[in-house]
Amino acid sequence: MLLPALLLALVLGLALLVQGRSWWAFATSGAVVLTGWVLERGGLDATSGAVLGVAAVTAMVTGIPALRRALVTGPSMGLVAPLLPKMSETERVALEAGTVWWDGELFSGRPDWSRLAAFDPAPLTDEEQRFLDEEVETICRMTDNERVDELGDLPPEVWSYLKAKRFMGLIIPREYGGLDFSARAVSEIITRCSSHNVTLAVTVMLPSSLGPAELLLHYGTQEQKDRWLPRLARGQEVPAFALTEPFAGSDAGSLSSRGVVCRGNWNGKEVLGVRLDWNKRYITLAPVASLLGVAFQLEDPEGLLGGKEKRGITLALVPTSLPGVETGRRHDPLGVKFINGPTTGREVFVPLDHVIGGAEQVGKGWRMLMDCLSAGRSLCLPGLACGAAQTTLRTVTSYGMVREQFGMPIARFEGVEEKLSRIAGDSWWMDAARELTAASVAAGEKPAVLSAIMKAWTTEAMRDVVNEGMDILAGAAICRGRKNVLAGFYQALPIGITVEGANVLTRTLIVFGQGALRCHPFAFAEVDAVQQGDRRGFDRAFSGHIGHTLSTAARAALGGWTSGWLGTGRSLPGRGAWGSRQVSRLSAAFALVSEAAMITLGADLKRKERLTGRLADALAHLYFASAALHRDLRRGSLAADAPYLEWALRTHLGGAEDALLGVLENLPNRPVALALRALALPRGRTVAAPDDALAAEVARLALADPATRERLTHSVHVPSPERSGLGALEDAAAAVAAAAPLVARVKKAARAGSLPRGPEAAQLEAAVAASILTQSEADRVLHARHLQREAIQVDSFGPEAYRARCGA
């Protein structure tokens, strides 16, 4: 009887563990084994009775919370405390900021696909779509890239249009004169502007990102909203937000800017206020700003506000016209002409009602920053990355068909096709993730961890895509001028990677460091309970954590050993089934490896940045694979999207496997690492990278299928053909494609001996004479050749013109 009981216990235990019922799994399987053992012995006796008694007591102690707290978790709290990271108040605020969404599902090791499948992003409203089609297209047409470089700024008429059409008030409610657009609409607008000109995009995104308007909307007093928001919406005030300092960059909590509560003169009256000193740098729009948001450490040495002296990070609105404010100087960010520069303040006095939120929000600036930063990072830099990627794709597909070598378009060469496939494949998943994340913000989420992932990984992907495009365009990409589409993006690559938290620190410190506590079902509650001395809370969190770890291990093992067929729960329908099973399998593996890293390294994990960076990579890859699956599902599984979905899944599932294997190869506790490898990733990397056949299909569709190309580049502003650059390339590519059948007819006749071989112009003339082509058809070929020659030319300059450009 014992062997059948053991088998039944194993099946029941695994089934219950996979469902997350850990205590019942061990209680039920234990009861089955003990029953079989007693029957095997022929019934109850003193020994078996004693064993059953011990088992019953163990079940009660572990299953009854009061007993468990008294005998197990209470005494354990002191032993566990040294293993947990210490959480400062600054870290607590950062961890509590924003919301947890799909990142929490991935951290759980058991993602609920029905939740993602049910998430139906709200479409753009008619007004938002019209604005995108009209005002945004107009501002792109008005923005001449070369003139921006010559002026070192957007032209005056572009600034005027931005203000008149409320580009400065995209997120401001209508009651204050703004447009009150959704996060999704803001993302689309930024992406479209980014596709054309980086300076325009940065100027448009700044007022909709972390800054005075966003902060006032969430935290301002009604009086502050009534005063400032209408002026910001109309562009009467140009905003900037001063956060970064020489010694406080990604570590924004280390601000040295200081404000002292005091009494001072304001409009002829003595009022309570703050005297400010600051030294900020890298502040976008600061040189032209009229209203500056300033982050500083507030002190109240005289106790004028009551309470403690050190009040913490506080935010205030400072008109730049005040005495002591210095603006106007500019940085030169790699020649990209968006306005950015330092600002300093010396003994600048503002009344207390200039503190955002008034006296009630004193000292709460860090929480404000963390809450608002997540929304901005979700929209702005991912929009820049996707706009650049899509324009790069549109450019290389046109150029690849117009530029010929050895008698054929360069896009037909496999070496070029290899790069083109990476540009197209990566552009597809980048945009899928951008749309999903923006839609989540529009639905009310403030995804702190996912916004960091989007900012860091999409800007890195932008670097890869633009560099691939530079390789394809070769000489045409490195000669600056009106004809060069990619140079502006290439110049801007390090900027996107650096701002709003440098990617190197975002990857190694923020994503997993914040996500491990913020997104984990129990870790934050454990740390909080220990620091608060809350035994009841610790019992709930700690016992839940143990059960969660055991359930995760069971799911990871079943998924790893069955390639996701078991232990992964319900999957998406249709062609998303395989991908969702693999994401679930790797989610369980990620959760288990994360647990092992946290348990074996404890607080030292913070300093193991190579490991946390790889764990962040795994989480990011799983999110991008999820976004690809969501896009495919919402689009109805378009046949032409199948290669792009496969590209995304192979890229990111394989990337997640590589990242987890890298963690296990370098985890200091080798026995644990080897056990986890055998348990969750027994076959190593199982998802192959995109192969040559898939790459060829991805490139072919981007080149030859107009509908697919339009979907891949739907956010791109295409200038008129009269403009050098992308517009001229598009016109030439269309003309060359239309003339291709006529050229083929001439070549066929030449091979048959009906036409002499020689220069094409002579062949065309002979073809007309032989009635192989009409004169109109020959003219079409000649016109296509003319456009082709013009499109592949690069800019050159006389000595004086070149010297003038040296300052651009």
Side-chain angles (χ1 to χ4, degrees):
M1 293 296 293
L2 184 57
L3 182 58
L6 287 171
L7 293 174
L8 179 60
L10 178 63
V11 172
L12 286 174
L14 282 174
L16 289 167
L17 278 173
V18 167
Q19 294 301 314
R21 301 179 180 276
S22 301
W23 185 87
W24 284 105
F26 284 94
T28 303
S29 58
V32 170
V33 170
L34 287 173
T35 300
W37 178 65
V38 169
L39 293 175
E40 183 84 9
R41 291 172 59 86
L44 279 172
D45 55 21
T47 301
S48 58
V51 171
L52 289 175
V54 171
V57 170
T58 302
M60 286 190 293
V61 168
T62 57
I64 299 175
L67 288 175
R68 188 174 61 232
R69 284 196 301 272
L71 300 175
V72 181
T73 56
S76 299
M77 193 162 78
L79 299 175
V80 171
L83 300 176
L84 298 177
K86 297 294 186 292
M87 185 166 54
S88 67
E89 184 59 29
T90 299
E91 289 173 317
R92 176 187 293 277
V93 170
L95 289 168
E96 291 176 344
T99 59
V100 175
W101 186 55
W102 190 248
D103 44 343
E105 297 287 341
L106 295 173
F107 248 100
S108 75
R110 190 184 181 189
D112 181 1
W113 290 103
S114 64
R115 183 184 182 190
L116 192 65
F119 181 64
D120 189 7
L124 298 183
T125 65
D126 291 342
E127 182 184 0
E128 290 169 341
Q129 187 64 56
R130 184 203 59 75
F131 189 88
L132 188 66
D133 294 338
E134 296 179 12
E135 278 83 351
V136 178
E137 281 295 302
T138 298
I139 199 67
C140 288
R141 286 194 296 271
M142 292 175 66
T143 305
D144 180 273
N145 295 339
E146 284 292 291
R147 191 163 177 230
V148 170
D149 276 351
E150 291 167 5
L151 295 175
D153 187 9
L154 296 174
E157 64 271 18
V158 173
W159 271 106
S160 296
Y161 190 87
L162 288 173
K163 295 175 180 180
K165 296 299 181 179
R166 304 293 198 267
F167 277 84
M168 314 297 279
L170 294 178
I171 64 171
I172 296 175
R174 287 180 175 82
E175 63 190 281
Y176 300 108
L179 295 175
D180 199 18
F181 281 172
S182 67
R184 186 173 182 186
V186 172
S187 175
E188 293 293 345
I189 291 166
I190 291 170
T191 306
R192 181 72 58 86
C193 292
S194 300
S195 77
H196 178 61
N197 182 273
V198 173
T199 297
L200 173 64
V202 172
T203 305
V204 169
M205 74 173 66
L206 191 282
S208 300
S209 183
L210 176 63
E214 176 87 359
L215 292 164
L216 284 170
L217 284 172
H218 291 288
Y219 306 105
T221 65
Q222 191 58 52
E223 182 182 355
Q224 288 172 339
K225 292 177 183 179
D226 292 339
R227 178 182 180 183
W228 296 110
L229 288 178
R231 296 180 61 80
L232 288 166
R234 292 191 296 267
Q236 291 173 290
E237 301 285 357
V238 176
F241 187 74
L243 175 61
T244 303
E245 302 174 359
F247 295 101
S250 296
D251 180 15
S254 299
L255 292 174
S256 61
S257 295
R258 186 170 179 260
V260 178
V261 179
C262 62
R263 294 190 177 277
N265 185 279
W266 185 260
N267 294 332
K269 295 181 181 179
E270 185 181 272
V271 298
L272 186 63
V274 180
R275 195 168 303 282
L276 294 163
D277 290 275
W278 71 81
N279 178 23
K280 307 286 187 176
R281 64 179 183 179
Y282 309 151
I283 311 304
T284 299
L285 293 187
V288 297
S290 60
L291 185 64
L292 200 62
V294 180
F296 57 93
Q297 298 280 3
L298 182 65
E299 299 174 10
D300 185 13
E302 298 180 32
L304 297 175
L305 297 178
K308 59 187 179 182
E309 177 181 347
K310 304 288 186 181
R311 304 306 294 263
I313 295 176
T314 302
L315 312 181
L317 295 176
V318 181
T320 57
S321 58
L322 292 178
V325 178
E326 293 185 17
T327 60
R329 295 182 64 82
R330 291 182 62 174
H331 300 308
D332 182 3
L334 289 176
V336 182
K337 302 305 187 230
F338 71 92
I339 297 177
N340 183 279
T343 174
T344 59
R346 297 286 182 269
E347 297 290 309
V348 179
F349 180 80
V350 294
L352 198 60
D353 63 9
H354 278 50
V355 170
I356 296 177
E360 291 184 2
Q361 296 296 336
V362 161
K364 298 179 181 178
W366 181 243
R367 182 178 295 278
M368 296 180 190
L369 293 173
M370 292 299 98
D371 276 338
C372 293
L373 187 61
S374 60
R377 278 198 302 203
S378 298
L379 306 179
C380 296
L381 291 171
L384 172 65
C386 288
Q390 289 185 33
T391 298
T392 300
L393 175 58
R394 189 115 186 175
T395 300
V396 297
T397 49
S398 290
Y399 187 84
M401 296 306 294
V402 169
R403 179 78 166 118
E404 295 181 355
Q405 291 287 277
F406 305 105
M408 60 186 283
I410 63 170
R412 303 301 185 197
F413 288 89
E414 280 199 3
V416 172
E417 184 184 79
E418 181 181 18
K419 292 181 175 294
L420 202 158
S421 65
R422 288 197 287 265
I423 294 171
D426 289 353
S427 295
W428 189 89
W429 66 255
M430 288 169 66
D431 197 55
R434 178 190 66 83
E435 288 187 336
L436 177 62
T437 310
S440 76
V441 175
E445 299 290 341
K446 292 183 178 179
V449 174
L450 292 182
S451 68
I453 286 174
M454 285 299 298
K455 183 269 166 182
W457 273 263
T458 59
T459 53
E460 292 290 345
M462 169 188 170
R463 172 155 57 185
D464 293 339
V465 166
V466 172
N467 278 330
E468 299 281 19
M470 296 286 289
D471 287 350
I472 292 174
L473 266 63
I478 62 174
C479 294
R480 292 177 59 204
R482 290 186 179 277
K483 295 178 182 293
N484 192 325
V485 183
L486 301 188
F489 298 132
Y490 186 77
Q491 285 175 276
L493 292 179
I495 298 170
I497 284 165
T498 299
V499 298
E500 290 194 6
N503 285 2
V504 63
L505 294 182
T506 298
R507 172 180 174 267
T508 56
L509 292 179
I510 296 174
V511 171
F512 187 78
Q514 188 172 3
L517 289 179
R518 188 71 175 91
C519 301
H520 190 283
F522 302 102
F524 182 79
E526 278 178 321
V527 174
D528 188 50
V530 168
Q531 292 196 192
Q532 302 297 325
D534 179 4
R535 288 198 169 203
R536 187 180 294 270
F538 181 75
D539 172 71
R540 286 194 301 269
F542 188 66
S543 58
H545 195 162
I546 291 174
H548 169 72
T549 301
L550 294 171
S551 294
T552 299
R555 284 193 295 272
L558 283 173
W561 282 91
T562 65
S563 298
W565 286 103
L566 295 176
T568 52
R570 292 184 179 180
S571 60
L572 290 175
R575 71 186 187 194
W578 176 81
S580 57
R581 283 198 302 271
Q582 298 311 307
V583 172
S584 294
R585 169 179 71 88
L586 291 170
S587 170
F590 166 75
L592 186 62
V593 172
S594 298
E595 296 281 6
M598 289 190 287
I599 290 170
T600 60
L601 290 168
D604 288 340
L605 183 58
K606 275 187 176 182
R607 292 179 286 277
K608 298 292 185 181
E609 294 174 29
R610 291 184 179 88
L611 294 181
T612 57
R614 292 185 182 102
L615 288 166
D617 289 338
L619 181 62
H621 284 305
L622 293 175
Y623 180 63
F624 292 129
S626 301
L629 289 163
H630 181 266
R631 163 175 273 194
D632 189 63
L633 184 67
R634 302 318 307 175
R635 283 186 172 183
S637 297
L638 294 172
D641 271 358
Y644 295 94
L645 174 63
E646 185 178 353
W647 178 281
L649 293 178
R650 287 202 190 187
T651 297
H652 292 298
L653 294 174
E657 287 182 324
D658 285 342
L660 293 174
L661 289 168
V663 173
L664 295 179
E665 287 168 2
N666 293 278
L667 194 67
N669 192 316
R670 299 314 302 152
V672 169
L674 293 172
L676 289 175
R677 170 71 186 262
L679 192 71
L681 296 162
R683 295 188 294 145
R685 175 163 179 162
T686 61
V687 180
D691 58 22
D692 291 351
L694 177 60
E697 182 63 7
V698 165
R700 185 193 68 79
L701 286 167
L703 284 166
D705 183 5
T708 296
R709 185 170 183 260
E710 286 300 318
R711 283 195 300 274
L712 286 169
T713 61
H714 68 97
S715 296
V716 174
H717 166 72
V718 180
S720 63
E722 293 75 28
R723 272 196 179 179
S724 297
L726 181 58
L729 266 177
E730 290 276 298
D731 194 36
V736 169
L742 305 178
V743 173
R745 195 189 308 170
V746 170
K747 288 183 176 179
K748 181 179 179 181
R751 286 195 300 270
S754 302
L755 291 176
R757 298 184 180 275
E760 187 176 56
Q763 279 191 322
L764 291 172
E765 188 176 335
V768 172
S771 298
I772 294 171
L773 295 180
T774 65
Q775 185 60 52
S776 174
E777 289 173 330
D779 290 342
R780 284 165 56 193
V781 174
L782 289 171
H783 179 64
R785 293 305 187 206
H786 168 72
L787 294 178
Q788 184 180 24
R789 284 192 297 273
E790 287 298 309
I792 64 174
Q793 294 299 320
V794 297
D795 295 283
S796 59
F797 309 92
E800 289 187 10
Y802 180 76
R803 281 193 293 272
R805 290 183 58 81
C806 289

